[in-house]
Amino acid sequence: MNLTSIAIATALLAVTATTAQAAEQAGPQFTTQLPRTVRPTHYDIGITPDTAHLRFDGKVAIAIDVLEPTATVTLNALDLKINSVQLTGPGETRFAAPKVTLNPSEQTATFTFDKPLAAGSYRLAIDYQGKIYTQASGLFAIDYDSHAGHKRALYTQFENSDARRFIPSWDEPAQKATFTLEATVANAEMAVSNTPVEQKTGADAGRTRVRFAATPKMSTYLLFLGIGEFDRITAKVGNTEVGVVTQMGLSAQGQFALESSQAILREYNDYFAIPYPLAKLDNIASPGRSQFFGAMENWGAIYTFEYAILLNPKVSTQIDKQGAFITAAHEMAHQWFGDLVTMSWWDDLWLNEGFATWMEGRTTAKLHPEWNTRLDHVDSRESAIGRDALATTHAVVQRVENVEQASQAFDSITYQKGSAVIRMIEDYVGADAWRDGVRNYLRKHTYGNTVSDDLWREIEASAKKPILAIAHDFTLQPGVPLLRVGEAKCTDNTTTLELTQSEFSKDQPNKAPLSWHVPVIVKLVKLDGAASEQRALVTNGKATVKIPGCGTVIVNSGQSGYYRTLYSGEQLAQIKNRFTSLKTIDQLGILADTWALGSTGYRPTSDILELVSVTPVDADPKIWRTIAGVFDGIDDLYRGDPVRRDKFRAFAIAKLSPVLARVGWTARRDESDSKAILREALVDVLGGLGDRTVIAEADRLYRASQSDANAIPAPLRKAILGVVALHANAATWEQLRAQAAGEKTALIKDDLYRFLSTTEDEALARRALELSLTAEPGATNSAPMIARVASLHPELAFDFALAHLDAVDAKVDSSARSGFYPGIASGSSDPATIPKIKAYAEAHVAPNARRRVDTAIAQINYRIKIRAEHLPAIDAWLTKNTHS
């Protein structure tokens, strides 16, 4: 760090402390699981890893303020051995060593002194040892193969509550402090943290002591350390050095991430009107995988698994490229929303994740309009509604009482519903008013902690519209509004429409509906194609909308609303007749509503096939990707019933094959990105549906690739290998396994092991499960392999995991463990699976941490219900409308 940077950092720390103190005095009372008698202000940390033996030595000196007299100091610690504790007070007064009590169940360490400590400032020095894990919790190791040999790198992952595995600390989001970190590493290794390297000194033979500049005031879960044989590429955006860190030799694969990060940083500096405050912003790309997360927003040192950020020209697809940009946009949004301003407790996690999910979509659509990703928010909303319509859902703002509940808060309600609510309210108040409110919120709470109403108050003040009722309805209570569309009456060239609000439920048909204030946009499409829109707010369960003209009405025009729309049969028939002339975004929303309402009994299940039947081959690629996804879901519901399944497959193949023929197997010059993604999706889905033409072509290309590395087009490699693996016999499976074992590129190697786990042959699926617990695939591939087997054989995978519980536990991140087992069972349609899940929960999951368990059971019951009550309507439609 040069002198100018040091001066900036010093000034920043002073501003940080002052601003945070003011915010703390004015802000809300923060939830805590620790006593409020002591608060940290700074951590000075020294770490010496013993990588070979998966352990480390640690020293930390914590500046603390004792707020009221107390004889005990309690902080968080887990899997740490405390060697010594020394407290120094004012005037360098040293206190007698305290009694140390570790409580693993509470994840705390308590230091009891021989007499109460007076209020004041102290220095707490702790010498300790900790574990280096093999899954992504605390400080962990990733082993990987490279062309330079077998390597091991170290990284940290602390969200939500794992900094306590690295340092004894007040490991809660509201307990912000500054940090200086020092690490002793091998001379050949690079060390990366939140801030630039401040100093390097020789340690002992072959090692260097690396000290990083002090951080701003931040939460413990945002601290980061990475150590390994890395490359780093950089660029400058204003005063910020932007970097991408990769394993050695892969920096070229991070070039797109670097370019994207520069564009995103410029956009965010402008949007938030607060320049990014740190000296550097790295994105650290790591081999491996986690069942809990794909990327983490550590301030100034974003950690991302390689599959989500690097582009390997041999295997990466257009959807990988878009995904890399979206991942960067999401994590960089957190640098303001989450890092600069942080939720006070995990109850308001959505403030971080819902906002970043919304921001990623907005930013991608703005900076890459050619990708047409604005259409993807329908998929995002559907992900949330699918979960939110079950009885086991929860409110966006939720009560979190312990670490396990915090881990389970990272779900589609927090991310996708939170994002959908933001999109709806932004549309209601206007983009400028929303942005101004966000800017005021960030300025007011810089370096502080907040709750949801802190944001809503600023939005309401900026918009000069009453939005608290809408915001509270959609974030403080669970569930999905259902708007029933009454008869559209046209009199004197004015259409009058009555809307009635109830509640959409997948598993509670007689549930008494909750009430929401629902912003609605209704479009009227006239016979000549002209259209007009009218906005309304549904209150007390009703709204009357008047629109000039006569024609077909579309409720939720533009699809910004978070609700289901239920039309009558006559209205849906009118929409079907105008379907192809509607905007693509509305076609997607209508398809989503139609399938969801049909699969829950609100409408005939076959309605979706009526819409598919009028969709032309040249419809927008996103429409056909959506239809292909619906077909894939229906096909899965027919699992175990080959006669009925074959009849449906014949129809689905007949609809999708002409689309693939039009798109072709080979990319055409200057084709749209959407078309390239559609090609990959069609090969994947048609292969899964058993299309003999696709299976044969995939097999031909795979065989040719054994002698010609370029036989398979790189953008189709994953789809083609997926089809080959799905239909593999024993010989082909072994051939794929040999390829995986010999592969030296971690990203490709990991993919191959997951392909081995996606096979229809049950005997081969069993072999994949057995392979997953050996050392061959690598420690972070085991859980993904089991999960992939579960996608086709959920009962087999679940039974295997239960039979090897201890071994599987060791292969799953601690944060994901309680949800992993019910998750792999949730795709079952066998009633016998439910008591097995319940028995697992009784034995291994605390009663107050069973949300994932209850949700898995609800999903199984829902699948059973669809198969019994709603698939027959599909059968009847096929009999009537197709030729056997």
Side-chain angles (χ1 to χ4, degrees):
M1 180 183 287
N2 58 38
L3 292 176
T4 302
S5 297
I6 292 173
I8 291 171
T10 303
L12 175 62
L13 289 174
V15 172
T16 297
T18 303
T19 308
Q21 186 176 22
E24 203 167 86
Q25 292 168 354
Q29 292 297 308
F30 301 136
T31 303
T32 179
Q33 293 181 319
L34 295 172
R36 295 176 182 267
T37 51
V38 179
R39 143 181 96 191
T41 59
H42 179 76
Y43 295 82
D44 196 352
I45 307 161
I47 298 294
T48 303
D50 181 353
T51 308
H53 297 95
L54 295 178
R55 63 192 182 205
F56 68 92
D57 293 326
K59 296 179 184 294
V60 62
I62 312 173
I64 60 173
D65 289 336
V66 174
L67 304 178
E68 58 186 68
T70 179
T72 61
V73 175
T74 299
L75 41 60
N76 293 115
L78 182 62
D79 282 352
L80 299 179
K81 178 185 176 184
I82 306 294
N83 296 324
S84 66
V85 180
Q86 180 64 59
L87 184 72
T88 305
E92 296 300 311
T93 304
R94 299 189 69 173
F95 292 77
K99 175 186 175 183
V100 178
T101 304
L102 297 177
N103 187 330
S105 64
E106 295 293 326
Q107 303 185 1
T108 59
T110 296
F111 308 140
T112 304
F113 296 88
D114 56 6
K115 60 182 179 180
L117 307 175
S121 297
Y122 298 81
R123 180 177 181 272
L124 182 67
I126 307 169
D127 186 297
Y128 63 100
Q129 291 175 308
K131 295 180 179 180
I132 298 175
Y133 300 87
T134 57
Q135 303 297 324
S137 301
L139 178 64
F140 64 98
I142 291 285
D143 292 342
Y144 60 96
D145 289 326
S146 75
H147 292 283
H150 189 74
K151 302 292 181 180
R152 172 172 286 177
L154 302 182
Y155 306 95
T156 58
Q157 166 59 18
F158 295 156
E159 191 177 34
N160 46 279
S161 306
D162 282 329
R164 63 194 64 181
R165 298 176 185 269
F166 184 69
I167 42 170
S169 56
W170 280 261
D171 191 18
E172 298 182 342
Q175 296 283 13
K176 289 189 169 185
T178 55
F179 298 80
T180 52
L181 176 62
E182 184 177 274
T184 302
V185 305
N187 288 342
E189 294 178 324
M190 179 188 296
V192 185
S193 188
N194 307 79
T195 53
V197 173
E198 188 175 66
Q199 185 182 50
K200 287 185 178 182
T201 56
D204 49 28
R207 295 198 299 179
T208 300
R209 188 172 294 113
V210 181
R211 186 171 183 84
F212 299 94
T215 71
K217 198 162 192 177
M218 67 183 194
S219 303
T220 49
Y221 77 88
L222 297 171
L223 185 65
F224 177 79
L225 175 64
I227 303 170
E229 295 182 18
F230 299 148
D231 283 338
R232 181 171 183 256
I233 54 176
T234 64
K236 272 289 205 179
V237 176
N239 294 323
T240 304
E241 184 176 81
V242 180
V244 175
V245 178
T246 68
Q247 57 168 290
M248 196 167 285
L250 297 189
S251 58
Q253 296 181 21
Q255 188 62 41
F256 177 74
L258 182 64
E259 294 167 1
S260 299
S261 296
Q262 294 172 68
I264 294 165
L265 185 55
R266 292 187 191 99
E267 171 65 17
Y268 287 176
N269 281 337
D270 175 68
Y271 185 87
F272 295 122
I274 298 175
Y276 174 75
L278 277 69
K280 64 97 175 173
L281 175 55
D282 279 326
N283 203 318
I284 297 95
S286 159
R289 192 170 285 253
S290 163
Q291 292 303 292
F292 184 63
F293 73 105
M296 174 59 205
E297 66 268 18
N298 313 296
W299 211 358
I302 297 166
Y303 175 82
T304 310
F305 288 108
E306 288 179 349
Y307 72 85
I309 200 71
L310 298 188
L311 297 182
N312 184 323
K314 294 181 179 179
V315 297
S316 295
T317 67
Q318 181 59 32
I319 205 163
D320 292 329
K321 186 176 184 180
Q322 293 184 13
F325 187 92
I326 289 168
T327 297
H330 181 102
E331 303 306 329
M332 289 175 67
H334 278 309
Q335 305 300 295
W336 287 263
F337 239 88
D339 298 2
L340 182 67
V341 178
T342 313
M343 78 268 143
S344 66
W345 185 248
W346 303 106
D347 294 16
D348 287 288
L349 175 63
W350 88 278
L351 276 176
N352 287 12
E353 301 300 349
F355 186 91
T357 303
W358 169 78
M359 196 68 176
E360 79 185 33
R362 173 210 168 271
T363 304
T364 304
K366 179 179 179 182
L367 298 185
H368 282 286
E370 75 279 9
W371 291 349
N372 212 17
T373 54
R374 63 185 180 81
L375 300 176
D376 293 341
H377 82 246
V378 174
D379 289 342
S380 178
R381 182 188 68 197
E382 289 307 299
S383 174
I385 289 179
R387 172 74 178 84
D388 207 16
L390 291 170
T392 57
T393 188
H394 61 85
V396 171
V397 178
Q398 54 194 302
R399 179 61 182 156
V400 172
E401 297 177 351
N402 53 46
V403 168
E404 189 55 51
Q405 288 182 4
S407 297
Q408 294 191 10
F410 293 79
D411 64 6
S412 60
I413 301 300
T414 297
Y415 285 72
Q416 281 76 33
K417 183 175 181 180
S419 170
V421 170
I422 288 173
R423 184 176 295 108
M424 179 173 63
I425 293 178
E426 184 211 24
D427 185 76
Y428 182 71
V429 302
D432 290 345
W434 172 265
R435 182 202 58 211
D436 291 345
V438 166
R439 289 175 173 180
N440 292 337
Y441 164 83
L442 290 173
R443 278 194 292 264
K444 184 172 289 187
H445 299 286
T446 292
Y447 300 108
N449 296 81
T450 60
V451 295
S452 295
D453 273 1
D454 294 321
L455 173 63
W456 298 137
R457 278 192 290 269
E458 298 306 323
I459 301 297
E460 189 166 79
S462 173
K464 297 179 174 56
K465 280 186 178 181
I467 59 102
L468 275 177
I470 299 170
H472 285 171
D473 285 352
F474 281 91
T475 61
L476 299 184
Q477 63 184 10
V480 184
L482 175 68
L483 295 190
R484 298 176 182 269
V485 183
E487 180 185 357
K489 298 178 181 178
C490 189
T491 305
D492 297 330
N493 201 37
T494 298
T495 297
T496 302
L497 191 68
E498 300 292 338
L499 300 176
T500 305
Q501 180 248 302
S502 58
E503 185 172 350
F504 173 71
S505 175
K506 293 164 72 170
D507 56 355
Q508 297 182 95
N510 299 316
K511 181 182 186 296
L514 298 173
S515 179
W516 290 264
H517 291 77
V518 186
V520 177
I521 304 174
V522 179
K523 177 186 287 185
L524 186 139
V525 183
K526 301 177 184 178
L527 290 176
D528 62 3
S532 58
E533 287 186 346
Q534 186 68 43
R535 292 174 178 263
L537 185 66
V538 177
T539 56
N540 298 319
K542 292 187 179 298
T544 300
V545 184
K546 293 182 180 292
I547 317 175
C550 302
T552 302
V553 293
I554 305 297
V555 178
N556 204 6
S557 175
Q559 304 302 310
S560 64
Y562 184 80
Y563 54 86
R564 289 262 181 249
T565 303
L566 179 58
Y567 298 100
S568 68
E570 180 181 350
Q571 291 165 335
L572 199 59
Q574 290 179 14
I575 290 171
K576 174 186 170 184
N577 292 335
R578 304 299 300 271
F579 187 67
T580 57
S581 66
L582 300 178
K583 287 186 177 181
T584 303
I585 191 73
D586 288 326
Q587 291 179 0
L588 290 169
I590 290 165
L591 283 169
D593 277 342
T594 300
W595 170 236
L597 294 165
S599 60
T600 45
Y602 291 89
R603 290 284 311 157
T605 318
S606 56
D607 280 353
I608 189 69
L609 303 184
E610 292 287 344
L611 291 177
V612 170
S613 68
V614 299
T615 302
V617 171
D618 63 352
D620 188 282
K622 179 63 177 176
I623 297 295
W624 279 112
R625 280 174 60 199
T626 297
I627 291 171
V630 170
F631 284 171
D632 190 44
I634 294 173
D635 182 67
D636 188 57
L637 291 169
Y638 278 115
R639 187 194 303 152
D641 195 337
V643 174
R644 296 166 70 201
R645 192 183 214 185
D646 286 347
K647 189 171 184 177
F648 170 73
R649 283 184 166 187
F651 166 78
I653 291 169
K655 284 294 178 185
L656 296 180
S657 293
V659 184
L660 179 58
R662 183 175 184 275
V663 172
W665 281 76
T666 305
R668 294 165 189 165
R669 192 173 183 176
D670 298 328
E671 73 178 7
S672 69
D673 298 309
S674 298
K675 190 171 287 186
I677 295 171
L678 174 61
R679 176 183 296 112
E680 183 184 5
L682 289 172
V683 170
D684 178 59
V685 172
L686 282 166
L689 290 169
D691 184 339
R692 294 177 183 176
T693 302
V694 168
I695 294 169
E697 179 63 5
D699 185 68
R700 183 190 72 78
L701 290 169
Y702 174 67
R703 301 300 166 196
S705 72
Q706 304 308 298
S707 56
D708 177 6
N710 297 316
I712 300 177
L716 280 182
R717 185 178 184 275
K718 292 179 184 178
I720 286 170
L721 288 182
V723 173
V724 169
L726 181 68
H727 300 285
N729 57 25
T732 301
W733 192 88
E734 286 294 351
Q735 189 174 18
L736 285 167
R737 179 181 176 182
Q739 282 182 252
E743 179 58 54
K744 298 303 181 185
T745 301
L747 193 62
I748 298 175
K749 187 185 191 79
D750 293 352
D751 280 343
L752 286 167
Y753 279 109
R754 281 185 290 281
F755 289 140
L756 286 169
S757 309
T758 315
T759 172
E760 287 184 329
D761 187 302
E762 188 169 316
L764 294 176
R766 195 177 299 277
R767 289 174 65 182
L769 289 170
E770 293 165 354
L771 179 64
S772 73
L773 294 185
T774 69
E776 180 184 317
T780 66
N781 275 325
S782 301
M785 288 178 71
I786 296 169
R788 287 293 286 265
V789 171
S791 67
L792 295 174
H793 309 279
E795 297 86 8
L796 175 68
F798 185 57
D799 289 346
F800 176 87
L802 293 185
H804 301 82
L805 196 65
D806 290 342
V808 174
D809 269 357
K811 304 291 188 179
V812 180
D813 304 1
S814 59
S815 300
R817 199 168 290 155
S818 68
F820 178 75
Y821 296 92
I824 61 177
S826 62
S828 175
S829 301
D830 184 354
T833 303
I834 293 174
K836 294 180 185 178
I837 297 175
K838 290 180 177 178
Y840 162 77
E842 286 294 325
H844 301 286
V845 183
N848 64 357
R850 293 181 183 170
R851 180 180 289 160
R852 299 281 174 87
V853 170
D854 294 339
T855 299
I857 292 171
Q859 288 170 331
I860 293 171
N861 280 324
Y862 176 57
R863 289 172 62 84
I864 293 170
K865 182 178 179 179
I866 294 177
R867 284 165 62 97
E869 298 179 12
H870 304 308
L871 275 188
I874 299 282
D875 299 331
W877 191 94
L878 292 172
T879 298
K880 180 180 178 181
N881 294 278
T882 62
H883 300 290
S884 300

